[in-house]
Amino acid sequence: MKISKKELQFIINQGEGYNVEFKENYSSGITKEICAMANATGGKILIGVSDEGETKPVKITNKLKSEIQDLARNLDPSLSIYVLESEKILAIDVPEGSAKPYSTGGKFYLRQGSNSQQLSRSEIRVFFQKEGLVLFDEKPNNKFDLSKDLSKESFDNFLRLSGIKKILPAKAILENLNLISARGEIKNAGVLLFSKNIGKFFLQATITCVLFQGKTKYKILDRKEFEGDLFSNYENAFNYLRAKLNTEFIIKGGPREEKLELPEEALREAILNAIAHRDYFVTGANIQVYIFSDRVEITNPGGLANGITIKELGKRSLSRNNLLFGLMQRMDLVEKIGSGILRMKKAMKDYGLHRPNMEIDENWFSIIFKRSTQNMREKSSEKSSDKSSEKILRLLREDGTLSASFIAKEIGISPRAVEKNLAKLKNEGIIKRVGPNKGGHWEIIQDIK
């Protein structure tokens, strides 16, 4: 069977991703990619194309094509694939499996972004049983009318960000991206990305941004709800944060530079994390971006995807929206699955701020950033504590038997604050207590560094 030169060029131009894999040469190792794609939404493997998209023609024989067919037939359960050819390039067309999960050699693979990730049998069973054999973003949507509901602006923006040339009609492009079902209906991932109005199809896919007065939800100062396509909602939510948070102007011998009180990279990552990994089957709640006087909270419905633990967060990941994540990866919005958490932590550290806190249960996933004003107060408190400790040490050098109440009066802080400082100095190995609380004394072991 043949594949048209134009379609082959389109697949090469779109590059590797969730449903496309390039292999410069043939090896039986492609079995894991076939297995992973069958466990996902299907896809194409091109043999004779380098990772950079350069064609490296291969010698195509009936024996080679038959061997590839055997690889798929030997999956458990067996799978039928199509082996196509054009310009001395082999294109293996892997359909979405109808009997998931599939394994090869007793090993299970699942497509995660542009990679095939091995899972244990128990992990993949939990994932498919609890998340469902058909994931939300892969489900066909029979209410979406391609001729009326597709936003041309959103679609063209996706192609631009993904570096995909429009050499095929829109529907053919969507088919090659595995966004059209066998019955010709667009899948939910496509609705999320290209809908003129997400709220028309999924009220839960909107993003609500709220500015509160103080540290509680008692008084709302401002509220906005964004219900466009996925990318515009992401941009609007970030712009809302940027407009409401404090900005510092820095001049370094040239034009002044604006610096947001929280790192932009961390805020963008948190919004994208919420969009990519939330549970869209939960219909009663949407993504919430809350701004308080001391913190920013970004919350999405659905805890961790089944098969991943809190300890593994940031090290490995299972996305419940693999098709959507793969498309976001093409748009260069996200990198590797699971790496967003690490980038958020690094961005906060580089800013000299506390790493974000995460609150996770089976229903919600929240990322909480302390605002820089709160961080500054804490740092100021720490500096004040350090000064108090130095004063306490000076007094103890003169007389180690001094009481906390006497020290408090001498340096102008409360007895409770003195006791806290003494405990801290003791824990740090700077002082030690000799004898009982009454009748004993403090001994200085070393000075504060």
Side-chain angles (χ1 to χ4, degrees), residues 130-131 135-136 204-205 273-287 300-306 320-321 362-365:
K130 294 190 177 179
E131 298 294 344
L135 306 182
F136 177 89
Q204 73 271 27
N273 186 80
I275 291 171
H277 298 299
R278 66 149 293 172
D279 186 349
Y280 286 95
F281 278 120
V282 177
T283 58
N286 64 354
I287 293 171
N300 62 266
L304 294 174
N306 290 291
R320 55 169 59 91
N321 304 300
E362 61 181 5
N363 299 313
W364 299 96
F365 186 107

Side-chain angles (χ1 to χ4, degrees), residues 421-445:
N421 276 276
L422 289 170
K424 180 185 172 188
L425 291 169
K426 182 181 177 183
N427 290 336
E428 291 175 353
I430 294 171
I431 62 175
K432 72 175 181 178
R433 185 71 182 176
V434 179
N437 289 334
K438 287 187 179 181
H441 67 276
W442 289 104
E443 185 178 303
I444 299 173
I445 302 171

Side-chain angles (χ1 to χ4, degrees), residues 154-164 231 329-333:
S154 301
F155 183 65
D156 288 345
N157 190 46
F158 167 80
L159 296 181
R160 178 182 61 80
L161 291 171
S162 304
I164 298 175
F231 182 76
Q329 203 172 37
R330 286 196 176 283
M331 297 167 75
D332 203 26
L333 295 179

Side-chain angles (χ1 to χ4, degrees), residues 257-275:
E257 176 189 344
E258 290 188 22
K259 183 179 179 183
L260 206 60
E261 64 174 282
L262 292 171
E264 292 191 9
E265 182 185 359
L267 296 174
R268 286 187 179 276
E269 286 288 348
I271 298 170
L272 289 169
N273 186 80
I275 291 171

